[in-house]
Amino acid sequence: MKERILVIGNGMAGIRCVEEIVKLEPNAYDITVIGKERTPAYDRIQLSTVLQGNGTVDELLIKPLDWYDEQKVTLRTDEAVTEIDKDQRLVYTNKGGALPYDRLIIATGSNPFIIPFPGIDKKGVITFRDIDDCNAMIESAKTKRKAVVIGGGLLGLEAARGLLNLNMEVSVVHNTDALMDRQLDATASKMLKDELEQQGMTFLMEKETTHVTGDEHVSGLAFKDGEEIEADLVVMAVGIKPNIALASETGLETNRGIVVDDFMKTSHPGIYAVGECAEHRGIAYGLVAPLYEQAAVLAKSISGDESGPYEGSVVFTKLKVSGVDVFSAGLFQEEEGVKAIRIHDESEGIYKKIMIADQKIVGTVMFGDTSDSSRILSYMRSEMNVEKMKKVALLEPEEDGGDDLVASMPESEIVCGCNGVTKGCITKAIQDQGLRTVGEIKGCTNASRSCGGCQPLVSQILEHTLGDVFDASDQQEPICGCTSLSRNEIVEAIREKGIQTTKEVYHVLDFENKEGCSKCRPSLNYYLGMLFPEEYEDEAASRFVNERMHANIQNDGTFSVVPRMYGGVTTSDQLRKIAEVSDKYEIKMLKVTGGQRIDMLGAKKDDLPSIWADLDMPSGYAYGKALRTVKTCVGEQFCRFGTQDSIGLGVRLEKKFERLQTPHKVKMAVSACPRSCAESGFKDVGIIGVDGAWELYVGGNGGINVQGGHLLATVTTDEEVMKTTGAYLQYYRETANYLERTSAWVERVGIDHVKEVLSDEEEKNNLNNRIDIALRATRDPWKEALEDRTVRQQFETILQP
């Protein structure tokens, strides 16, 4: 008879224990796992990706049901243990089960911490801990509009980002003056807040909630300072506490968690505890890496190997919010005996700080670029002496340095901190099992299976290990978790099969999620419109909220309205009209933009259609993935140095390409001479007048990632400028990934490749023919909303509270 192992808790800790045990001794034990939730074990830390629309619940499953059968592990879901009889070695369940064991592993995890202020039990107040919470938020977003998240920590911010993706207005309430104040210093916290505000979050800092307002259902929150905020949904994400109730009732030694020794043994023989419910040397960890490390030690201990005790973990956190890279480990605040190395690149939005004590790294904070995180974490864990490295530790690798970095990494260096996977483990798997993609490595070794932050490094190791055999085309990633198909495969299939709607895409191409997600829906809507501009009916519901509203939502819930001013030129009549409309609708501020037009800030959403009607000007598309502006200098008409008619050409370009839908926003500029007063060298398309000619620069960017433009062509006439620009934009439209700026696209495909394509006159004409068809199919969205009753009704429905 096999020894019986019973695991209470089908979470990440419990199932990792089972994985480690069957890996060490296959079929040696009779293993039963009992879990309260209805699903098999899933990756809880990735719940935010589901909420943010970047994955599905099925993708979170750590192991498929077949795996349990193959390993002969009995899984009992939707069943809770009610009592442990440690003397008889029996556990009782709420379904009448009485299960004997020889060894018992308690992996009951933790519970969300609830602040017990009045009204917390009202409908619409939830936590963010499991799949049911995640689904509750998704369902709430279908009918509710205002969400408030209590807690500006890791979990709260990830929940807030997910609610934003669900098109809710999101405010975050935090009781201190800094976000993630347990992981970030003041500088990083401020950068994080600024970035999230740009994404649409509103923050109420240093606020202490006194009670939840509303009758049966929540209507808002009241604060100690007397202020209140409206809310249809309140998400409490203020922390967790170890779930030790069952252990306490059983008589096991508990403190904050279930007290365990270095081999995860509790105070009673034959009973172990692991994960968030366990307390080791006074610490109860709430992160995934310690949990996995404990599981590995416990599995060895059960198999009789107690050569490697668990001695604690170096903890680290990584924020999983799209577009925000944040990493923190160990100490992050200055203190006596600890020195800091800092890099703060404001132009790139990058901040890195390394904390050093006794020539060893004891902590780090990174914002904007976390590519060094695995390496620094490895140095921390190994307590490497960095005395000779500290001046270069944070420098970016030189060209081709990525391969050098991989080559110099020792085989024992940890690559995936979440799952404890070393470089040696990855290279061995590649060599022994013939792996060719990052996905295969993930499936085989667990590297990048959790937070995914190490995926770029895993890819570099794959390329380094395979050498000439490495094929970049094999590495195409699916566009989202709903499908395994890449962007190119999907576009080609749509073209070949003549698919006309997103729903057809989901069904014909066999998406796992037949409703799509917030990541694939806008992408597919763009690709279909690009391929079939005359036939495809745009799906407003698949666009981001600003594009649906035809205005940019601001941090106070109002909107900005930007009418188009061709080439940055306006008239006194237009200015009077803008002034009258501003007074009539109590616009809070008029701001001249960098694109040479006027931003009307603070417009109430219900006033938007009336404002558009009174302005009677075209939409400036300041909210859209489309041509935004064509900036111009005054040129030869007024400037003493101007050699070309920059205004005339700029106006012509803007009138030609306005309303053109593109993978990302496109900005253009025309300067009349090499002084480039319109900053043409840093635009998606920049044109500079030279002696008797125009130079066309492309792929520039003046945003966070400043990028100078590449010279595409030198032409002598305005007609050639129009034709070259049209071909270039259409080629970008047809080959770029959705949400890929021209700067990234040019870097990816190469400027020489673009030049080669456009050097073919026949292809250039074909591209211009296709962009003309696309342009003919466009309509001004403001006028369309005002003139088309159906469109207006749909729009007004969106606006109604």
Side-chain angles (χ1 to χ4, degrees):
M1 181 178 175
K2 294 180 181 177
E3 189 174 5
R4 295 162 300 190
I5 295 178
L6 185 61
V7 182
I8 304 175
N10 185 30
M12 298 175 71
I15 201 63
R16 177 54 71 99
C17 279
V18 176
E19 279 187 83
E20 296 287 349
I21 290 169
V22 298
K23 189 189 301 181
L24 289 172
E25 296 185 282
N27 299 317
Y29 302 99
D30 179 359
I31 302 175
T32 298
V33 180
I34 304 175
K36 289 193 298 185
E37 294 191 68
R38 296 183 298 276
T39 59
Y42 59 88
D43 188 346
R44 194 182 303 277
I45 64 173
Q46 291 294 331
L47 278 175
S48 59
T49 64
V50 175
L51 189 63
Q52 292 172 32
N54 296 324
T56 65
V57 170
D58 289 344
E59 292 173 349
L60 302 189
L61 297 183
I62 295 173
K63 294 293 180 186
L65 284 172
D66 291 347
W67 180 86
Y68 295 87
D69 295 335
E70 292 168 1
Q71 302 300 329
K72 296 182 171 51
V73 173
T74 301
L75 175 63
R76 299 169 72 117
T77 60
D78 197 22
E79 186 169 3
V81 173
T82 56
E83 181 184 352
I84 300 172
D85 184 338
K86 61 181 184 294
D87 296 324
Q88 298 298 319
R89 298 206 170 197
L90 281 171
V91 300
Y92 298 94
T93 76
N94 61 345
K95 292 189 174 179
L99 308 176
Y101 66 83
D102 298 304
R103 297 177 192 260
L104 179 66
I105 298 173
I106 301 177
T108 46
S110 59
N111 294 320
F113 185 75
I114 305 291
I115 304 174
F117 44 69
I120 199 69
D121 55 346
K122 294 184 188 301
K123 291 182 179 177
V125 181
I126 62 175
T127 58
F128 183 30
R129 184 60 185 159
D130 55 29
I131 285 176
D132 288 341
D133 294 332
C134 192
N135 288 333
M137 282 189 267
I138 292 171
E139 284 301 311
S140 182
K142 293 177 180 177
T143 56
K144 308 297 183 185
R145 300 177 59 202
K146 295 179 183 293
V148 174
V149 177
I150 302 176
L154 195 74
L155 194 62
L157 297 179
E158 291 177 359
R161 178 63 256 186
L163 292 166
L164 270 184
N165 285 11
L166 294 171
N167 299 323
M168 297 195 79
E169 298 173 19
V170 181
S171 299
V172 177
V173 176
H174 195 53
N175 60 355
T176 73
D177 62 353
L179 299 176
M180 289 183 67
D181 46 351
R182 295 183 180 180
Q183 293 92 18
L184 303 181
D185 65 1
T187 302
S189 179
K190 175 68 166 55
M191 295 174 77
L192 174 62
K193 182 170 177 284
D194 291 345
E195 173 59 35
L196 294 177
E197 284 177 336
Q198 289 186 23
Q199 292 192 11
M201 288 185 206
T202 300
F203 292 97
L204 288 80
M205 309 298 289
E206 298 182 85
K207 290 287 186 183
E208 185 176 339
T209 305
T210 57
H211 62 279
V212 179
T213 61
D215 297 324
E216 187 176 348
H217 194 281
V218 59
S219 64
L221 291 178
F223 304 113
K224 190 175 182 180
D225 59 10
E227 293 187 2
E228 293 189 0
I229 185 173
E230 294 181 0
D232 303 313
L233 173 70
V234 171
V235 179
M236 185 168 287
V238 294
I240 56 175
K241 57 182 180 181
N243 182 5
I244 61 173
L246 187 63
S248 298
E249 294 167 2
T250 305
L252 302 180
E253 181 184 357
T254 60
N255 185 34
R256 187 177 172 217
I258 305 170
V259 177
V260 296
D261 66 8
D262 289 354
F263 296 97
M264 314 317 293
K265 298 173 183 174
T266 69
S267 56
H268 191 83
I271 301 181
Y272 308 81
V274 67
E276 293 174 343
C277 65
E279 178 180 321
H280 174 262
R281 299 187 185 179
I283 300 175
Y285 295 95
L287 299 167
V288 64
L291 173 159
Y292 287 168
E293 292 167 10
Q294 292 173 1
V297 170
L298 174 54
K300 284 186 177 179
S301 175
I302 288 177
S303 68
D305 179 1
E306 294 194 344
S307 58
Y310 176 70
E311 297 180 298
S313 298
V314 175
V315 294
F316 64 94
T317 56
K318 184 171 287 188
L319 184 66
K320 298 180 293 302
V321 167
S322 178
V324 186
D325 293 323
V326 179
F327 179 84
S328 174
L331 290 179
F332 62 93
Q333 299 285 18
E334 289 78 355
E335 58 184 59
E336 187 176 351
V338 179
K339 296 181 179 179
I341 301 173
R342 298 182 185 83
I343 294 176
H344 190 181
D345 185 345
E346 294 182 342
S347 65
E348 295 284 347
I350 294 173
Y351 175 71
K352 298 183 180 182
K353 183 167 79 171
I354 302 292
M355 309 297 291
I356 295 179
D358 297 330
Q359 305 303 335
K360 297 174 184 174
I361 299 175
V362 294
T364 183
V365 172
M366 299 181 186
F367 182 91
D369 177 8
T370 58
S371 57
D372 291 316
S373 59
S374 295
R375 181 168 56 90
I376 298 300
L377 186 64
S378 177
Y379 294 166
M380 288 178 64
R381 283 174 161 155
S382 63
E383 299 185 343
M384 176 183 288
N385 188 311
V386 296
E387 182 177 9
K388 296 180 180 179
M389 299 176 62
K390 61 183 178 182
K391 290 183 179 179
V392 297
L394 293 178
L395 294 180
E396 292 289 340
E398 297 177 359
E399 189 173 358
D400 297 330
D403 197 54
D404 293 340
L405 174 64
V406 171
S408 65
M409 289 172 61
E411 296 295 297
S412 59
E413 184 164 327
I414 297 290
V415 175
C416 176
C418 296
N419 293 285
V421 185
T422 64
K423 174 194 171 187
C425 175
I426 294 172
T427 54
K428 187 173 188 305
I430 295 170
Q431 292 164 344
D432 291 353
Q433 302 189 41
L435 308 184
R436 291 293 181 270
T437 70
V438 172
E440 290 175 341
I441 294 172
K442 184 190 302 184
C444 181
T445 68
N446 287 331
S448 77
R449 193 177 78 174
S450 295
C451 77
C454 62
Q455 186 167 316
L457 183 55
V458 174
S459 180
Q460 288 180 25
I461 294 172
L462 176 66
E463 184 173 359
H464 174 78
T465 306
L466 291 179
D468 294 339
V469 180
F470 178 80
D471 186 346
S473 64
D474 290 342
Q475 309 306 314
Q476 290 189 13
E477 291 287 324
I479 63 168
C480 67
C482 301
T483 178
S484 60
L485 298 175
S486 67
R487 178 264 184 208
N488 290 345
E489 290 170 326
I490 289 173
V491 170
E492 191 55 34
I494 292 173
R495 194 196 314 272
E496 283 184 359
K497 300 176 187 297
I499 299 172
Q500 295 288 325
T501 68
T502 54
K503 284 193 179 299
E504 281 186 272
V505 174
Y506 301 139
H507 288 276
V508 174
L509 302 187
D510 197 25
F511 275 42
E512 290 184 21
N513 179 5
K514 296 296 188 289
E515 297 297 323
C517 67
S518 62
K519 192 172 183 179
C520 66
R521 284 197 297 267
S523 304
L524 296 178
N525 188 53
Y526 168 76
Y527 296 140
L528 286 161
M530 179 268 291
L531 290 169
F532 308 111
E534 293 179 308
E535 300 85 359
Y536 179 65
E537 186 172 343
D538 186 76
E539 295 180 0
S542 295
R543 289 187 175 274
F544 294 115
V545 60
N546 286 345
E547 291 185 298
R548 293 205 305 274
M549 302 295 285
H550 307 303
N552 280 324
I553 190 167
Q554 305 298 302
N555 58 14
D556 61 354
T558 63
F559 290 80
S560 76
V561 175
V562 183
R564 190 169 291 283
M565 293 178 177
Y566 298 103
V569 177
T570 186
T571 66
S572 56
D573 286 342
Q574 285 185 342
L575 293 176
R576 269 190 291 274
K577 193 181 295 182
I578 290 172
E580 290 167 359
V581 170
S582 297
D583 290 343
K584 181 178 179 180
Y585 295 99
E586 299 177 338
I587 297 298
K588 294 180 179 178
M589 177 184 285
L590 295 177
K591 174 76 170 63
V592 177
T593 73
Q596 299 180 335
R597 47 195 186 171
I598 294 176
D599 193 348
M600 304 169 69
L601 291 155
K604 299 182 183 69
K605 58 192 171 198
D606 293 341
D607 291 337
L608 288 176
S610 300
I611 290 174
W612 302 337
D614 290 349
L615 282 173
D616 192 26
M617 295 172 68
S619 167
Y621 275 83
Y623 49 82
K625 309 295 181 289
L627 174 65
R628 298 283 182 88
T629 62
V630 181
K631 188 175 182 178
T632 66
C633 67
V634 296
E636 66 178 6
Q637 293 183 48
F638 297 96
C639 181
R640 289 180 298 135
F641 304 105
T643 59
Q644 308 276 18
D645 180 10
S646 52
I647 291 179
L649 180 58
V651 170
R652 187 177 175 189
L653 283 164
E654 190 159 357
K655 289 192 172 180
K656 164 81 173 181
F657 297 112
E658 66 173 322
R659 301 191 296 273
L660 180 69
Q661 299 293 333
T662 45
H664 210 304
K665 61 185 176 184
V666 168
K667 298 180 179 180
M668 301 170 66
V670 183
S671 299
C673 76
R675 290 176 175 77
S676 191
C677 292
E679 302 169 327
S680 300
F682 296 92
K683 300 297 182 184
D684 297 281
V685 178
I687 298 153
I688 298 176
V690 294
D691 189 17
W694 292 106
E695 290 181 344
L696 274 71
Y697 292 84
V698 297
N701 188 11
I704 294 176
N705 299 311
V706 178
Q707 172 67 53
H710 305 268
L711 179 61
L712 176 65
T714 301
V715 299
T716 56
T717 69
D718 288 3
E719 288 303 323
E720 289 176 289
V721 171
M722 300 298 292
K723 186 175 180 180
T724 303
T725 302
Y728 171 77
L729 288 176
Q730 183 63 14
Y731 191 58
Y732 166 59
R733 294 181 75 234
E734 294 180 355
T735 58
N737 299 319
Y738 185 67
L739 296 183
E740 186 176 32
R741 290 293 300 268
T742 62
S743 56
W745 172 69
V746 169
E747 183 177 348
R748 178 168 62 84
V749 303
I751 187 62
D752 290 338
H753 169 74
V754 179
K755 286 180 179 178
E756 183 180 354
V757 171
L758 300 193
S759 67
D760 184 333
E761 280 302 312
E762 183 178 355
E763 179 61 16
K764 186 187 287 187
N765 289 333
N766 290 336
L767 288 165
N768 272 287
N769 290 337
R770 292 199 290 273
I771 201 170
D772 286 343
I773 293 172
L775 288 167
R776 283 199 298 270
T778 66
R779 293 194 62 197
D780 185 271
W782 292 356
K783 283 186 168 55
E784 187 176 27
L786 296 173
E787 295 172 358
D788 189 315
R789 182 177 178 79
T790 303
V791 174
R792 179 165 182 140
Q793 283 179 331
Q794 292 174 346
F795 181 76
E796 288 173 345
T797 299
I798 293 172
L799 289 181
Q800 288 173 358

